[in-house]
Each structure stands twice: as C-alpha cells, then as structure tokens.
Amino acid sequence: MGMKGFYFSFDSLLALGILTASLLLVAQYSNVQNTGFEANTVDYRGAGTAGKDAMKLGSQQSFSAFNESYRQELVDQTVMEESDLDRTILDGMTLLWAARNTSYTREVAEKYFDRKIPEKYEYRIQVNESGRGDILYRTSEMPEDAAAVASISRLVSGHRIDRPSEGFQARARATEVRKNTTQIVSLPAMGYANENGKLEVDKKFNITNPDEIYNAVMYLNIEYNGDTIVEQFKLNGVQKKNDYSIIHDYQDDTALIKFNLTDAVQPGENSVYIRFKGDASQSQPTDLQPGGMLRVKYRKDKVRIPDSRLRHERIYMENLTAETPGNGQSGIFKVESFEIPENAEFINATINLEARGLDSGNCGYDGGWFGPYYDWDFKTIFNGQTLEQSCASGSLSRTYQLDSSDVRKGTNVFTVYLESLGDTFWGGETVSLYSDYESDDSSYIDVYYNVSDEQLRFGQIQVTAAEEMGGGIEEPKVYSKEFEYTDLASTEVYIAQRYSNTVHLEVDNGSGYTNIFTSPEVRASPTRLTVDPSYFNLEGENRIRMYDSGPDIVKFYPESTFKWTVWVPSQVGYGELYSNQSAAVQDAQNRLEDTLGPFVDATGISTSQVSTGDQPYIWGPASLKLVVWDE
C-alpha cells in the first residue's frame, strides 16, 4: 500500500509538471498573438465594416440623397433623365460612367461616399467589366504597405440590350430667352390731403428689358371727399387725369378707379405724379387705401438667371408732400413693407427716413378736455412695435438698424406718422416725406438676405403670372386656386379694400386654414402680402381667405389679385441616340421648346452633341468595387 501511494504521488507530480509547461507555452504564444497581427485584424474589420455599410447603402438609396438643385443639374447636364433619379446610387454611377460623363461620375462618388466612409480611411471605387477596371474616384493612391485593406464588390447592370451602341446624342440650352411675365408695383396706404389741402405723390418704377408691353393698368383705391377724385395724374410727364374708369364708387366716400396706361408705360424707368385734393367742408381727409397697384404684362428679353445666394433690395418710399394753405394742419402717414422668404437667411435691414417741413411750434397736439393728446411730432412703428416717437422741427433724418429679433419671415410692415394720427393733424402748411429715388438722402428700406441652395436653380428661369380673385364686393373673400405646375417659386396676394382696419390672410391646402398674416396694428395693412409656397398643396385645390376685423362697411374688392411664380427649365440633357448628327440636334431643340412651353421663347439656342461610337456601355452585368484602406 505504501509503494502504491508513492507511485500515485510521482505520477501526479509528473502530470503537474507537464501541465505547467503547457500553460507557460500557451501564455507565451498568446503574448505573440497580441502584437501587430491582432491590431491589423481590428483595423481590417473596421475598414471592412465601413466598406460593407457604404456599399449596402449605395445599393439601396436613390439619388434623393442629393438636394433638388443637384439632381436637376444631373438631368440637365448628363445622360440621366428624370426617371433615372430613382436608380440606386451604384446603378446611377455606372450609368454616368457608361455614358462617359466622367466628371459627374467622380463628383457623385465623392459627394456620396465621403459622407459614408469615416475620415480615418482612404478609399477608391472602380468598375470592372470585361476584364478591365476603371477607377471612378479615389481619395488618394493606395500605398503598397497599407496597414489594412478591405474590398467589397456589387454586381450592377446597365442599359437595355436593345439600345444602339453607336450614334449621336445632343443637348440644348437657351442662351437667351424672351418670357411672358407680369410685374406688379404696389401703392401702399398713404395720406393725407386734409380739408382744402393737397397730397402730392411722386413714385418711380422700372420695367427692365421689355420686348413688348402689351397691357398696363393702374388701380387707385381712394378715400375721398368732394367732386374731384384725382386732381392730377401724370405718367412720364403725360397728363392722364381724365383717362380713368370708375370701377367701384361710393359717392363722396371711397372709390376704386382704373387707368389704362398701356400706351404710356415705357421700357426702363418710369415716373408717376399724382395729386389729390381735400375738401374744406368735409371732416374726412383724402388718402389711399390698400389696393393701389400698377400691373404690367410684357415680354421680357435677355433674362438673367441669378447665380448668387445673396439678395439685396432697396425699396424707395414714395415722395409725399401734404399741403394745407392758410391755417396749416398738414400731416402724413405711410405704410411700407418688405418680405423675407421662409427658408432664407436674414442678414440685415435698414430703414432710412427723411422728413421735411415739420412744424417749429409746440410739440405734439393737445385737443383739450375732449380731444386727443399726442406728445410727439413723428412716430415710427415696425411690426407693431414702436421704434420711436419724438418731437421734431424742420428737417428730420433717422436710420433704424433692424436685426433678426425685429424681422420675421414673410411680410414685415413699417409705418410712419408725421404730425398726424388718424384724422387729427397738427403740422404746418407743408409736410414732406422725402425721396429722390437715387441718393442715400431718401426714405427707403434696405434688405439683405441669403436664399437657400434650393432657390438657386441650375438651368431654370422664373415665369410670373397673375389673376384677379373675382367674386363680389364682400367680406370675407375666399379665392380658390389649383396650380398647373408643381415647381412653385413664390406667391403674393395684393389686397384691395373698401376701408381697411385689421386684415387677416389665411390659406387652406386641404387640411384647414393656417394664418399667414395679421395686420400688426389698425390701418397698417400693406397692399402686397407674400405667402411661402410651402403653404400650398401643389396637387389639389387651395383656398385663400381674407377678412377684416373692422366694422361691417369694410369689404374686399374683386380686383384683389393673386400672383404666382414658377420655375421653368431652360436646358435639356442628352436625348436618345440617332444615326446622324442633325437628327440628334433637332431632337434636342424640339425637346427644349416643349420644355419651355407657352411662357418662354428661346431667342438663342446653344446645342452640343457627342458621338457615342465605341463607348463602354454595359451590355451585361459588371461589378463595382470599393477598396478601403488605412494608411
């Protein structure tokens, strides 16, 4: 028994020694494996995962991954058609490569895969077909000693096999166009001609490069007293005071009148001079209500397509002079507006105000026990918030800098009162809101903003049309609109009212009414209001509703106008293959004319064509290969 016990003890010791040696060997081996090889394995897995994810997404996502402007550029400048935008990224890249649109193939690859592959990795993407490999794009040359390399391939297929492999393709671009368009110049609310006084209005506007002006009318919406509605009306120095028709007239109260100015509006700068007369026997002064507007329809030559995001607009206010001879009591009010598109980036806005002839007597107005009391001579209001109300004498210059906290998207409203408010006046014999339409010593609004990339349309132009809302003299007024075109750039509403108190504008796109605009204060409604296209349903009926929270006598005229602007392409991409060059060019010109439609005439066309002989069109399956590495 003792010998047997010793035997087992020796055997156990021997086994223990062998096990210990094995564990030491495994530990040493494990230490070897945890050096560079293990790190390379991790890097390889990271590169492989990045490549697989990128290729999987590229084989699933369509060209909707890019913004609308870039998609349109691909259609206009490459072989791609609208329907090709539904292709996957990989399939679309192969199509571009096959058509030898190499620069766009490279650009698509860079734009897409740079966002999918982490910055720590380099990569290249190539197409392999019939034993050849073409590199579509690469971030850099891959070194021979790259730390980790992973490659992923996907099969792709190309054009239909029944499509010819040789022939000619052509595209066309309108280098100059003549478009039919409508321009509306608003005359916002302004006044006054008090008692037996007069109100003089000087306004300038510009019609740029018209080929033919075929209709021009001006509406004046006047609150008046006495027998004379308009005492003077001159356009470019030509007397037109009797050349109007009365559309709506409430005797010695309000009137909407219409001037036919087709034969008087001229290309370039135009100037209008209007003089209104008050009536000493009446307490109500003469002024302009919302609804004054000049509407010009014309064909426009040499259309320039904006290529910058920055927009700048200087809006000169009318040069206004109120005169009340004898005992004085003149005064002026003026409403002006400007717009910031919903998706624009506001930069800054400046209001400059120049007034002349402010009374040198006591500041403000004191009506006694039963009259109003005002302790200021001028008051400025922006979007319902008072900017300033102060005493003043003689000439006045003011500049207001507006920031993003002051300005809102959509319509912004500025109102100025000079020695008047409502039907109370306390100025001298002459008060002026000065503007010469040229210098900085004028009354104006300067606005700067950046439009979004979506509003820079490659190879497209804007076309504008307008129509009266119709119906009766009513409140509320509801107008229905369906759009023929789904690419809407902007819309505007021009309101025309009998009296105006607090205007509300709403839009129903089928899901209920949404408020777009409410007057920031009483009697501060501009003629022009903007509505962002996003509020409309472009595939169904829309309703625009206007109402006023004033008394029952407030009504909207049927001459209230809706104006809209659409995008129209001015280019077409490469078309089908033709056996001869002239047929391909003619096809491109025909497609361009069809695209421009009735709005636009191409007065200059540039065409380019390519021979498609011996192009590497993909007749059968090929593969796209993505190689990812870590240097």
Side-chain angles (χ1 to χ4, degrees):
M1 290 292 288
M3 288 294 293
K4 194 171 184 179
F6 174 78
Y7 172 78
F8 281 113
S9 299
F10 178 80
D11 189 50
S12 299
L13 290 173
L14 180 61
L16 180 62
I18 294 172
L19 179 60
T20 301
S22 300
L23 288 172
L24 289 172
L25 181 61
V26 170
Q28 292 175 357
Y29 182 76
S30 298
N31 286 337
V32 171
Q33 298 305 305
N34 283 332
T35 59
F37 181 78
E38 179 66 25
N40 286 348
T41 301
V42 173
D43 286 343
Y44 170 76
R45 288 173 180 171
T49 300
K52 288 179 180 177
D53 289 346
M55 286 293 272
K56 183 177 181 180
L57 290 172
S59 61
Q60 294 175 345
Q61 288 187 312
S62 71
F63 277 71
S64 62
F66 301 116
N67 63 41
E68 183 179 351
S69 177
Y70 187 63
R71 295 197 303 270
Q72 188 62 50
E73 182 177 344
L74 290 173
V75 172
D76 291 336
Q77 293 297 306
T78 74
V79 72
M80 295 190 78
E81 305 288 348
E82 289 284 351
S83 58
D84 292 321
L85 297 176
D86 293 330
R87 291 175 179 258
T88 66
I89 298 294
L90 301 185
D91 193 23
M93 285 170 47
T94 311
L95 171 65
L96 293 170
W97 166 81
R100 286 183 178 172
N101 298 140
T102 54
S103 62
Y104 278 98
T105 307
R106 180 170 59 251
E107 189 173 273
V108 168
E110 180 182 7
K111 283 179 176 289
Y112 186 78
F113 286 100
D114 271 4
R115 293 183 295 175
K116 299 294 184 283
I117 297 176
E119 292 184 1
K120 65 176 292 186
Y121 298 116
E122 302 294 314
Y123 69 92
R124 75 168 181 264
I125 186 162
Q126 64 190 60
V127 61
N128 298 323
E129 193 255 348
S130 300
R132 58 181 291 178
D134 286 349
I135 294 177
L136 306 183
Y137 173 73
R138 61 186 170 195
T139 56
S140 65
E141 291 279 356
M142 186 179 72
E144 294 182 0
D145 59 346
V149 180
S151 64
I152 305 92
S153 296
R154 287 284 188 275
L155 287 177
V156 291
S157 58
H159 296 283
R160 300 187 306 271
I161 198 166
D162 60 344
R163 185 168 181 171
S165 62
E166 296 185 4
F168 296 87
Q169 292 175 292
R171 64 184 180 186
R173 176 173 62 92
T175 56
E176 272 192 9
V177 300
R178 181 194 301 123
K179 68 177 183 179
N180 300 320
T181 192
T182 300
Q183 180 175 336
I184 300 180
V185 180
S186 70
L187 272 77
M190 65 187 80
Y192 295 98
N194 185 33
E195 296 184 348
N196 62 339
K198 301 179 187 300
L199 174 67
E200 296 179 316
V201 180
D202 288 288
K203 186 176 184 65
K204 294 183 180 180
F205 62 92
N206 200 288
I207 305 296
T208 305
N209 298 327
D211 178 60
E212 178 185 357
I213 298 172
Y214 53 89
N215 184 262
V217 297
M218 176 176 280
Y219 290 99
L220 294 181
N221 190 19
I222 308 166
E223 183 179 15
Y224 77 103
N225 289 292
D227 297 328
T228 303
I229 299 177
V230 176
E231 191 172 61
Q232 292 288 322
F233 186 101
K234 295 181 180 179
L235 177 59
N236 299 322
V238 178
Q239 183 62 257
K240 291 285 187 178
K241 67 177 182 179
N242 297 318
D243 297 347
Y244 68 85
S245 55
I246 298 176
I247 308 301
H248 309 289
D249 187 16
Y250 298 84
Q251 294 294 327
D252 294 340
D253 187 3
T254 59
L256 182 72
I257 64 175
K258 176 182 177 182
F259 291 84
N260 189 336
L261 304 176
T262 305
D263 61 343
V265 172
Q266 62 189 22
E269 186 177 82
N270 293 260
S271 62
V272 178
Y273 170 77
I274 312 170
R275 189 170 73 212
F276 303 98
K277 184 180 181 299
D279 190 332
S281 64
Q282 301 290 333
S283 61
Q284 177 63 45
T286 298
D287 59 75
L288 283 175
Q289 297 286 308
M293 69 185 93
L294 171 73
R295 191 169 63 215
V296 183
K297 295 182 180 181
Y298 61 98
R299 280 195 288 269
K300 182 179 178 70
D301 269 344
K302 300 178 182 178
V303 176
R304 178 182 176 273
I305 302 172
D307 56 3
S308 171
R309 293 182 63 220
L310 179 64
R311 297 289 187 269
H312 169 230
E313 184 178 10
R314 172 166 287 191
I315 305 166
Y316 283 103
M317 301 182 203
E318 292 81 3
N319 185 59
L320 301 178
T321 301
E323 298 179 351
T324 309
N327 63 346
Q329 295 187 342
S330 295
I332 282 177
F333 91 100
K334 171 77 174 78
V335 177
E336 192 55 81
S337 65
F338 66 88
E339 293 75 36
I340 302 294
E342 291 284 343
N343 54 356
E345 174 194 7
F346 171 75
I347 299 177
N348 64 63
T350 303
I351 301 174
N352 198 69
L353 193 65
E354 297 288 336
R356 306 283 190 269
L358 297 174
D359 189 13
S360 59
N362 295 328
C363 176
Y365 179 86
D366 186 351
W369 286 100
F370 302 104
Y373 174 78
Y374 306 112
D375 60 353
W376 49 267
D377 287 321
F378 77 95
K379 183 175 184 177
T380 53
I381 303 172
F382 183 72
N383 285 341
Q385 301 298 313
T386 298
L387 297 177
E388 184 179 7
Q389 56 182 39
S390 302
C391 299
S393 178
S395 296
L396 169 75
S397 297
R398 284 292 189 273
T399 299
Y400 305 102
Q401 297 289 344
L402 306 176
D403 59 30
S404 57
S405 65
D406 303 311
V407 176
R408 62 193 179 196
K409 299 298 177 66
T411 302
N412 293 263
V413 182
F414 172 72
T415 311
V416 56
Y417 297 92
L418 300 178
E419 297 183 317
S420 69
L421 186 65
D423 297 336
T424 303
F425 307 89
W426 62 93
E429 291 191 1
T430 302
V431 180
S432 297
L433 181 66
Y434 178 75
S435 183
D436 63 10
Y437 285 85
E438 294 178 359
S439 70
D440 289 340
D441 296 327
S442 295
S443 299
Y444 61 82
I445 301 177
D446 255 345
V447 185
Y448 291 86
Y449 59 88
N450 282 325
V451 299
S452 66
D453 289 335
E454 289 296 321
Q455 291 172 287
L456 287 179
R457 300 298 186 91
F458 183 86
Q460 292 183 303
I461 57 176
Q462 292 184 344
V463 176
T464 301
E467 66 183 11
E468 294 181 355
M469 293 185 176
I473 302 173
E474 56 196 350
E475 199 282 331
K477 177 168 285 296
V478 178
Y479 163 77
S480 297
K481 179 65 179 176
E482 290 188 28
F483 295 97
E484 299 179 43
Y485 303 90
T486 58
D487 215 350
L488 192 62
S490 65
T491 67
E492 296 174 354
V493 173
Y494 292 79
I495 61 176
Q497 289 180 276
R498 183 194 177 200
Y499 293 113
S500 180
N501 196 63
T502 304
V503 172
H504 304 264
L505 174 67
E506 299 176 336
V507 171
D508 178 11
N509 60 12
S511 58
Y513 280 105
T514 299
N515 179 265
I516 306 299
F517 175 84
T518 297
S519 302
E521 56 180 326
V522 175
R523 296 185 179 181
S525 300
T527 295
R528 180 186 63 193
L529 302 174
T530 61
V531 183
D532 191 80
S534 62
Y535 289 104
F536 291 104
N537 176 8
L538 302 182
E539 297 180 352
E541 184 181 52
N542 301 271
R543 290 185 295 173
I544 297 173
R545 181 170 67 185
M546 300 183 296
Y547 65 95
D548 197 305
S549 54
D552 291 341
I553 59 174
V554 175
K555 304 291 184 182
F556 291 88
Y557 290 129
E559 286 71 25
S560 297
T561 299
F562 182 68
K563 173 182 155 186
W564 67 96
T565 300
V566 297
W567 289 103
V568 176
S570 63
Q571 304 189 50
V572 291
Y574 288 108
E576 296 294 323
L577 292 174
Y578 288 87
S579 59
N580 61 80
Q581 181 174 326
S582 61
V585 170
Q586 186 61 53
D587 168 70
Q589 292 178 341
N590 292 341
R591 286 185 291 114
L592 177 61
E593 291 176 1
D594 290 341
T595 300
L596 295 177
F599 295 109
V600 183
D601 296 325
T603 56
I605 297 178
S606 171
T607 60
S608 59
Q609 55 279 333
V610 295
S611 170
T612 61
D614 197 29
Q615 285 195 30
Y617 279 108
I618 306 173
W619 303 111
S623 66
L624 273 177
K625 184 177 183 181
L626 176 64
V627 182
V628 182
W629 68 91
D630 186 354
E631 295 184 338

